[in-house]
Amino acid sequence: MATSGSSSSSDPFLSILHRSFPSATSSSTSELDINQLSQAIYPVTTYTDNEKIEITQWLTTATRLATPDEDEAKHAERLGSLNTHLSTRTTLLGSKPSVADIALYTRLAPTVSKWSSEERTGEHGYHHIVRHIDFVQNAPVFKLKLAEEDKVKIDVNDVNFVHKPIDPKEEKERKKKEKVDAVAAGGESEKPLIVGQGKGQGGGRSRKDNAKVEEGKEAIKGVAAGDGAAQPRKEKKEKQPKPQKQPAKETPLSPCLIDLRVGHILKAINHPNADSLYVSTIACGDPVGTENTSEYEGQIVRTVCSGLNGLIPLEEMQGRKIIAVCNLKPVTMRGIKSAAMVLAASPRIAEGEDNHKGPVELVTPHADAKAGERVFFEGWQGEPEGVLNPKKKIWETIQPGFTTTDGLEVGFDAGSVPQLHGEGETKKEAVGKLVTIGGGICTVKSLRGATVR
């Protein structure tokens, strides 16, 4: 793909943008301008706040895919994730065109042009990436000005392996056959139901139903023979009252109910609608399919909004390990759903003082800690709740005990939580340090006796 020679710019991506959209871009277009460029070059398309963040994330991914010295296994992993993502989407956002599609095209086109037929459309090839490249360079919706010789040569008829599509009718017949086979394997006792008859009707009538029928016949015979009355009915047994269900056992109040984990911030940006918020993409060790997660650069991540803008520099939020609270109920903050909370320390303030003036320091796990590693307070081990019930106010009750020591270690002081004071042997007076499963202690930079939240 010979795009770099078509413009004075050394970056093929910027070259294509400037050639295709000269009124919206220039040779001095910055990264910040590019993040906001989609609306300018595709004015009839509207983007939600989440889609704007997704565009920014894909721009970063496109840059990394073009890194020549990237580890081969990691590069293949990124391509595999991208191919899977595109398997159910026309564009990166689903159906909307964006500047991220163009970035991905310019970064990957030189690589795709060198792929063999097997790499493109073989059984384990990147079919969907190839389809996306062809769509971006040719579809009128993208409005790209590319010479034919600059496009990746793709033969739509050169397909080495065809994934058989699922026929809805065949799938329905297959499931029906499986159901019949399962019934047959269970024995004749499981007879199929006949339309208009219940289980106790016809040849499949139960003993209880047969007894009732015979009883009715005998009563009719008695009346017809002049006995004067039908045989008396059997006395019904009085139903015994059902035992009342025992109320669910209340889980004792403890800081272990809060799901604390090591998180790895892969990317942080300014919130598009709030000056005081950051929007971070954080890997917290969640398995695939976890609710309120998405995939980013081959990892399962959570989107987290934090009120740290203006308190912690944005560059300090990039690529670092933090401690995340992972079982608070997700909340939408200025149009973006936040699925966790980043722990940070700040000085304790008197009532009425401004609690947003700082300083603020992020809680930092041990350097060897891995994303997703469980974190707990010494002396308070246990299993966390799935999602904390907001009505029980567990977080609000426990959080006042989160503090920092003179040694800059993060800990839990039960004495600050009246409900956990305890008596005698159950009373815990020492501050339990916040540690990872591997034993690493969580710390802050300089704040002693601070509150942590």
Side-chain angles (χ1 to χ4, degrees):
M1 177 181 170
T3 54
S4 58
S6 305
S7 172
S8 58
S9 172
S10 60
D11 187 341
F13 175 41
L14 294 177
S15 174
I16 286 182
L17 287 178
H18 185 53
R19 185 167 65 254
S20 302
F21 312 99
S23 61
T25 61
S26 67
S27 57
S28 61
T29 299
S30 66
E31 182 180 350
L32 181 61
D33 296 330
I34 292 172
N35 289 341
Q36 301 170 351
L37 195 59
S38 293
Q39 197 66 72
I41 62 179
Y42 302 120
V44 296
T45 304
T46 55
Y47 302 94
T48 65
D49 291 334
N50 283 330
E51 286 172 337
K52 291 175 184 176
I53 291 173
E54 194 173 347
I55 289 171
T56 303
Q57 292 173 341
W58 280 116
L59 286 170
T60 302
T61 299
T63 302
R64 291 177 179 172
L65 281 168
T67 305
D69 57 349
E70 183 178 46
D71 176 74
E72 187 175 339
K74 186 65 177 176
H75 186 67
E77 182 182 342
R78 290 190 202 277
L79 289 175
S81 297
L82 173 62
N83 194 62
T84 301
H85 178 82
L86 290 171
S87 65
T88 56
R89 297 165 176 84
T90 304
T91 69
L92 290 174
L93 297 182
S95 58
K96 298 177 182 179
S98 73
V99 70
D101 292 288
I102 303 173
L104 201 66
Y105 170 78
T106 55
R107 305 304 188 198
L108 279 182
T111 302
V112 174
S113 65
K114 298 174 185 176
W115 280 351
S116 65
S117 179
E118 185 64 27
E119 287 176 303
R120 291 187 181 195
T121 61
E123 184 174 358
H124 303 291
Y126 302 112
H127 303 66
H128 306 293
I129 292 178
V130 174
R131 186 265 309 156
H132 180 260
I133 291 290
D134 191 49
F135 182 65
V136 172
Q137 67 184 6
N138 290 310
V141 68
F142 281 102
K143 305 176 183 178
L144 295 186
K145 294 180 180 178
L146 295 171
E148 284 301 317
E149 60 269 19
D150 289 340
K151 295 181 180 180
V152 179
K153 302 300 184 291
I154 297 174
D155 183 357
V156 294
N157 296 315
D158 182 15
V159 180
N160 288 5
F161 182 84
V162 178
H163 293 272
K164 184 180 178 182
I166 297 176
D167 187 310
K169 188 175 180 180
E170 289 183 5
E171 184 69 6
K172 186 177 180 180
E173 289 297 324
R174 183 185 66 78
K175 289 182 178 179
K176 185 177 179 181
K177 185 176 183 299
E178 286 180 356
K179 189 174 181 180
V180 172
D181 292 343
V183 171
E188 292 188 3
S189 58
E190 293 292 331
K191 293 185 178 180
L193 293 177
I194 301 173
V195 177
Q197 294 185 6
K199 283 187 176 180
Q201 291 178 292
R205 196 153 51 201
S206 67
R207 291 181 180 179
K208 186 175 179 180
D209 290 337
N210 284 333
K212 286 183 179 180
V213 172
E214 291 302 321
E215 182 181 337
K217 287 180 179 179
E218 291 299 321
I220 293 170
K221 285 180 182 178
V223 173
D227 291 344
Q231 293 181 2
R233 293 182 179 178
K234 293 181 181 179
E235 292 184 6
K236 291 184 178 180
K237 292 182 180 180
E238 291 185 9
K239 290 184 177 180
Q240 297 296 325
K242 293 182 179 180
Q244 292 184 349
K245 291 183 178 180
Q246 295 296 324
K249 189 176 179 180
E250 190 73 19
T251 305
L253 188 66
S254 167
C256 75
L257 299 179
I258 299 170
D259 186 1
L260 299 172
R261 301 186 216 164
V262 175
H264 184 195
I265 300 179
L266 303 179
K267 183 178 179 64
I269 62 173
N270 293 313
H271 193 297
N273 301 322
D275 293 339
S276 64
L277 299 178
Y278 287 140
V279 181
S280 302
T281 301
I282 306 179
C284 296
D286 294 293
V288 176
T290 301
E291 193 173 1
N292 297 310
T293 64
S294 58
E295 187 176 324
Y296 176 66
E297 294 191 346
Q299 298 190 58
I300 303 303
V301 297
R302 297 181 181 219
T303 297
V304 180
C305 297
S306 55
L308 300 172
N309 197 339
L311 298 172
I312 294 177
L314 184 58
E315 56 268 22
E316 288 187 19
M317 297 287 291
Q318 311 295 338
R320 67 173 296 161
K321 301 283 180 63
I322 50 90
I323 300 299
V325 182
C326 293
N327 62 343
L328 297 174
K329 187 175 181 180
V331 293
T332 300
M333 303 177 74
R334 291 295 191 92
I336 296 176
K337 182 183 279 190
S338 178
M341 185 173 74
V342 177
L343 276 189
S346 59
R348 295 187 182 276
I349 59 170
E351 188 174 349
E353 288 185 0
D354 182 8
N355 62 347
H356 290 291
K357 65 181 181 180
V360 172
E361 296 176 359
L362 293 177
V363 175
T364 304
H366 190 269
D368 295 333
K370 306 293 184 186
E373 189 173 346
R374 281 289 311 281
V375 182
F376 61 91
F377 292 102
E378 290 179 333
W380 298 95
Q381 292 91 325
E383 284 300 312
E385 293 276 282
V387 176
L388 294 177
N389 186 342
K391 294 181 180 179
K392 294 184 177 180
K393 297 191 178 297
I394 294 174
W395 167 253
E396 292 81 356
T397 303
I398 293 294
Q399 182 275 324
F402 287 28
T403 187
T404 59
T405 68
D406 290 340
L408 302 179
E409 299 160 333
V410 178
F412 179 73
D413 179 12
S416 299
V417 182
Q419 295 86 335
L420 293 177
H421 277 174
E423 298 293 339
E425 293 182 0
T426 62
K427 188 171 183 178
K428 296 185 179 182
E429 297 180 345
V431 174
K433 296 176 183 177
L434 185 63
V435 297
T436 63
I437 292 292
I441 299 175
C442 301
T443 60
V444 293
K445 281 184 179 180
S446 63
L447 295 176
R448 295 177 171 85
T451 185
V452 177
R453 58 191 170 192

Short mmCIF file of all heavy atoms in Angstrom, two decimals, residues 17 29 48 61 68 112 167 181 190 194 201 211 214 219 240 248 258 261 282 290 311 319 326 439:
data_model
loop_
_atom_site.label_atom_id
_atom_site.label_comp_id
_atom_site.label_asym_id
_atom_site.label_seq_id
_atom_site.Cartn_x
_atom_site.Cartn_y
_atom_site.Cartn_z
N LEU A 17 -6.08 11.01 6.00
CA LEU A 17 -7.06 11.94 6.56
C LEU A 17 -7.00 13.29 5.85
O LEU A 17 -8.03 13.87 5.48
CB LEU A 17 -6.80 12.13 8.06
CG LEU A 17 -7.18 10.98 9.00
CD1 LEU A 17 -6.81 11.32 10.44
CD2 LEU A 17 -8.67 10.67 8.91
N THR A 29 -2.61 18.59 12.58
CA THR A 29 -3.64 17.92 13.38
C THR A 29 -3.00 17.11 14.49
O THR A 29 -2.13 16.29 14.24
CB THR A 29 -4.50 17.00 12.49
OG1 THR A 29 -5.13 17.78 11.47
CG2 THR A 29 -5.56 16.30 13.31
N THR A 48 -22.58 8.22 20.78
CA THR A 48 -22.85 8.30 22.21
C THR A 48 -21.53 8.52 22.96
O THR A 48 -20.44 8.36 22.39
CB THR A 48 -23.51 7.02 22.73
OG1 THR A 48 -22.58 5.92 22.61
CG2 THR A 48 -24.77 6.69 21.93
N THR A 61 -5.30 1.05 20.16
CA THR A 61 -5.06 -0.32 19.70
C THR A 61 -4.44 -0.33 18.30
O THR A 61 -3.52 -1.10 18.02
CB THR A 61 -6.38 -1.11 19.69
OG1 THR A 61 -6.90 -1.16 21.01
CG2 THR A 61 -6.16 -2.53 19.18
N PRO A 68 6.33 -2.43 15.12
CA PRO A 68 7.07 -3.53 14.48
C PRO A 68 7.80 -4.44 15.46
O PRO A 68 8.00 -5.62 15.17
CB PRO A 68 8.08 -2.79 13.58
CG PRO A 68 8.25 -1.45 14.23
CD PRO A 68 6.93 -1.12 14.84
N VAL A 112 -1.72 -6.80 5.95
CA VAL A 112 -2.69 -7.66 5.24
C VAL A 112 -2.26 -7.89 3.80
O VAL A 112 -2.45 -8.97 3.23
CB VAL A 112 -4.10 -7.03 5.31
CG1 VAL A 112 -5.09 -7.84 4.47
CG2 VAL A 112 -4.57 -6.94 6.75
N ASP A 167 -28.16 -23.11 9.74
CA ASP A 167 -29.50 -23.05 9.16
C ASP A 167 -30.52 -23.14 10.30
O ASP A 167 -30.56 -24.13 11.02
CB ASP A 167 -29.70 -24.21 8.18
CG ASP A 167 -31.01 -24.09 7.43
OD1 ASP A 167 -32.04 -23.90 8.09
OD2 ASP A 167 -31.00 -24.22 6.19
N ASP A 181 -34.46 -38.19 21.62
CA ASP A 181 -33.47 -39.18 22.05
C ASP A 181 -33.33 -39.19 23.57
O ASP A 181 -33.16 -40.25 24.19
CB ASP A 181 -32.11 -38.88 21.40
CG ASP A 181 -32.13 -39.13 19.89
OD1 ASP A 181 -33.06 -39.82 19.43
OD2 ASP A 181 -31.23 -38.63 19.19
N GLU A 190 -41.52 -42.29 30.73
CA GLU A 190 -41.73 -40.91 30.28
C GLU A 190 -42.45 -40.93 28.93
O GLU A 190 -41.84 -40.81 27.89
CB GLU A 190 -40.39 -40.18 30.16
CG GLU A 190 -39.68 -39.96 31.46
CD GLU A 190 -40.43 -38.96 32.33
OE1 GLU A 190 -41.10 -38.09 31.76
OE2 GLU A 190 -40.33 -39.06 33.56
N ILE A 194 -50.27 -36.35 24.87
CA ILE A 194 -51.16 -36.32 23.70
C ILE A 194 -51.98 -35.05 23.81
O ILE A 194 -52.49 -34.72 24.88
CB ILE A 194 -52.07 -37.56 23.67
CG1 ILE A 194 -51.21 -38.83 23.63
CG2 ILE A 194 -53.04 -37.50 22.51
CD1 ILE A 194 -52.01 -40.10 23.76
N GLN A 201 -54.37 -39.17 31.72
CA GLN A 201 -55.46 -39.59 30.84
C GLN A 201 -54.99 -40.68 29.89
O GLN A 201 -53.81 -40.82 29.62
CB GLN A 201 -55.98 -38.40 30.05
CG GLN A 201 -56.71 -37.37 30.95
CD GLN A 201 -57.17 -36.19 30.17
OE1 GLN A 201 -56.36 -35.41 29.69
NE2 GLN A 201 -58.47 -36.04 30.03
N ALA A 211 -58.10 -45.13 40.44
CA ALA A 211 -58.88 -45.43 41.64
C ALA A 211 -60.10 -44.52 41.73
O ALA A 211 -61.20 -44.95 42.10
CB ALA A 211 -58.00 -45.27 42.89
N GLU A 214 -62.77 -45.77 39.25
CA GLU A 214 -63.47 -46.97 39.72
C GLU A 214 -64.44 -46.62 40.84
O GLU A 214 -65.54 -47.18 40.93
CB GLU A 214 -62.44 -48.00 40.22
CG GLU A 214 -61.58 -48.60 39.11
CD GLU A 214 -62.45 -49.29 38.06
OE1 GLU A 214 -63.45 -49.95 38.42
OE2 GLU A 214 -62.12 -49.16 36.86
N ALA A 219 -70.19 -45.99 42.60
CA ALA A 219 -71.26 -45.14 43.13
C ALA A 219 -72.44 -45.10 42.17
O ALA A 219 -73.60 -45.16 42.59
CB ALA A 219 -70.71 -43.73 43.35
N GLN A 240 -51.54 -31.37 56.79
CA GLN A 240 -50.65 -30.86 57.82
C GLN A 240 -50.10 -29.49 57.40
O GLN A 240 -49.77 -29.28 56.25
CB GLN A 240 -49.48 -31.83 58.04
CG GLN A 240 -49.91 -33.19 58.55
CD GLN A 240 -50.54 -33.12 59.92
OE1 GLN A 240 -50.11 -32.29 60.74
NE2 GLN A 240 -51.56 -33.94 60.17
N ALA A 248 -33.28 -16.39 55.88
CA ALA A 248 -31.89 -16.56 55.46
C ALA A 248 -30.95 -16.05 56.54
O ALA A 248 -31.19 -15.02 57.17
CB ALA A 248 -31.65 -15.81 54.16
N ILE A 258 -16.51 -6.67 51.13
CA ILE A 258 -16.18 -5.78 50.02
C ILE A 258 -15.15 -6.44 49.11
O ILE A 258 -14.10 -6.89 49.58
CB ILE A 258 -15.65 -4.44 50.57
CG1 ILE A 258 -16.73 -3.78 51.44
CG2 ILE A 258 -15.25 -3.51 49.43
CD1 ILE A 258 -16.24 -2.58 52.22
N ARG A 261 -9.76 -5.80 44.79
CA ARG A 261 -8.85 -6.50 43.88
C ARG A 261 -7.78 -5.56 43.34
O ARG A 261 -7.98 -4.34 43.29
CB ARG A 261 -9.60 -7.09 42.67
CG ARG A 261 -10.69 -8.06 42.98
CD ARG A 261 -11.22 -8.64 41.68
NE ARG A 261 -12.65 -8.88 41.73
CZ ARG A 261 -13.41 -9.08 40.67
NH1 ARG A 261 -12.86 -9.05 39.45
NH2 ARG A 261 -14.69 -9.30 40.78
N ILE A 282 -9.94 -0.53 32.99
CA ILE A 282 -9.18 -1.24 34.01
C ILE A 282 -9.41 -2.75 33.92
O ILE A 282 -10.55 -3.22 33.90
CB ILE A 282 -9.56 -0.76 35.42
CG1 ILE A 282 -9.42 0.77 35.52
CG2 ILE A 282 -8.71 -1.45 36.48
CD1 ILE A 282 -9.80 1.35 36.87
N THR A 290 -18.48 -11.72 32.10
CA THR A 290 -18.89 -11.05 33.34
C THR A 290 -19.71 -9.81 33.00
O THR A 290 -19.38 -9.06 32.09
CB THR A 290 -17.66 -10.64 34.17
OG1 THR A 290 -16.90 -11.81 34.49
CG2 THR A 290 -18.09 -9.95 35.47
N LEU A 311 -6.90 16.39 40.65
CA LEU A 311 -6.27 15.98 41.90
C LEU A 311 -5.05 15.10 41.65
O LEU A 311 -4.07 15.14 42.40
CB LEU A 311 -7.27 15.23 42.78
CG LEU A 311 -8.51 16.03 43.22
CD1 LEU A 311 -9.51 15.12 43.90
CD2 LEU A 311 -8.09 17.16 44.15
N GLY A 319 -1.38 3.13 32.74
CA GLY A 319 -0.59 1.90 32.85
C GLY A 319 -0.15 1.53 34.24
O GLY A 319 0.84 0.82 34.40
N CYS A 326 -14.80 -3.78 43.57
CA CYS A 326 -15.42 -4.39 42.38
C CYS A 326 -16.85 -4.88 42.58
O CYS A 326 -17.43 -5.45 41.64
CB CYS A 326 -14.56 -5.55 41.88
SG CYS A 326 -12.95 -5.03 41.23
N GLY A 439 0.70 -11.73 49.79
CA GLY A 439 1.36 -11.19 50.97
C GLY A 439 1.88 -9.78 50.83
O GLY A 439 2.41 -9.21 51.79
#
